[in-house]
Amino acid sequence: MKLSFQEMEKTGEIIKKIYKKDRVERYISLLLGLILISIAFNLFLLPNNIVFGGVSGVSILTKEVFGWEPSIVIYAGSFLLLIVSFLVLGKKQTTGSILGSLLFPVFVQITAHLNDIIQLGEIETSLAALFGGVIYGLGAGLVFKAGFTTGGTDIINQIISKYGKMSMGSAMLMSDGMIVLLGVTVFGLNKLMYAIVVVYLIGMLTDRVLLGISDSKAFYIIAEKEDEIKDYVLNELGHGVTIYDAKGGYTKEKEKVLLCVVPTNEYYRLKEGIREIDRQAFFVVMDAYEVFGGE
């Protein structure tokens, strides 16, 4: 369904209001995130030749093959991709990538000689992958949470996703996978294992920073003894319940879906309570990262 011009204008105003909120905190989060990413890159990933994808990964390859300065490669690659983004994705989608794309290579250059100050000595590549992935993931999470990106292959992923009709996850797997495989041809197969660890840690930590650690669980419950389960949640656990009207896709029969959100420490009590009341009950449990209202 296409939005009218007035509706698009309204949604645009909402986005502007969102980005105007806590502007100082957002920029601090961006700068702190870029510092952490740059430290992880220069202190752990670059010295150990761990090619983990992105323009940063390409810069590790070009340093080994051509001796080019990583910050220059990152800056050139990010700048070219910004131009491509303007031409292909348009101004609106490119705006959030500009600041991160321009600042990231600056921070990489500033922290380039960090090894001279913080002398870690000879450390295992596995430890470098572990610490590099964790610190990089924390930094990326802060950047994304502030509403920015570091540009680079994020732009390629958006283009692949848009024109290849695939999810962002699949696009990332394709673009970063190709860069990681190029790394194998230069540094050998053993580096691939470390790269996989780093990519996994970056993704996991980025999600944790963006979403937080789940402290609540959302239950979706379909049961014949819905009233008994509802009473149990209300009276024994002291939490609210929302009831939806639904219809079985196969049976076409009308049924009720109970939704309730409980703290993680009460997950066991609710799960076992449902099973005690109705052994035939069907329920789905999901992480609820943020819960507002309803008290």
Side-chain angles (χ1 to χ4, degrees), residues 1 11 20 31-32 58 71-72 83-84 88 98 108 118 167 173 178 199 204 218 263 269 277 286:
M1 185 179 71
T11 56
K20 279 181 181 177
L31 294 176
L32 181 58
V58 172
S71 60
I72 301 299
I83 296 172
V84 172
V88 179
I98 295 173
V108 170
I118 304 174
S167 68
L173 187 63
M178 288 177 65
V199 170
M204 185 181 68
R269 291 174 64 197
I277 295 167
M286 303 176 69

Side-chain angles (χ1 to χ4, degrees), residues 79-196:
F79 186 74
L80 287 172
L81 287 169
L82 274 178
I83 296 172
V84 172
S85 181
F86 266 113
L87 296 173
V88 179
L89 299 175
K91 179 182 176 182
K92 191 175 179 181
Q93 273 190 271
T94 306
T95 304
S97 302
I98 295 173
L99 197 56
S101 295
L102 297 178
L103 286 178
F104 178 45
V106 174
F107 281 96
V108 170
Q109 182 59 44
I110 291 171
T111 58
H113 302 290
L114 202 59
N115 275 309
D116 298 333
I117 302 169
I118 304 174
Q119 296 182 356
L120 298 175
E122 292 293 325
I123 62 170
E124 293 288 335
T125 308
S126 56
L127 282 176
L130 177 64
F131 280 92
V134 168
I135 296 171
Y136 198 108
L138 289 172
L142 288 172
V143 172
F144 295 146
K145 194 170 186 178
F148 299 98
T149 77
T150 55
T153 52
D154 289 338
I155 293 169
I156 294 176
N157 296 335
Q158 290 179 58
I159 294 170
I160 293 173
S161 176
K162 181 177 180 180
Y163 292 99
K165 307 297 182 185
M166 62 179 70
S167 68
M168 280 293 290
S170 299
M172 287 175 67
L173 187 63
M174 182 182 292
S175 61
D176 288 343
M178 288 177 65
I179 294 168
V180 169
L181 288 175
L182 281 173
V184 173
T185 63
V186 176
F187 298 113
L189 193 60
N190 65 322
K191 293 292 182 180
L192 174 64
M193 295 183 287
Y194 298 119
I196 291 170

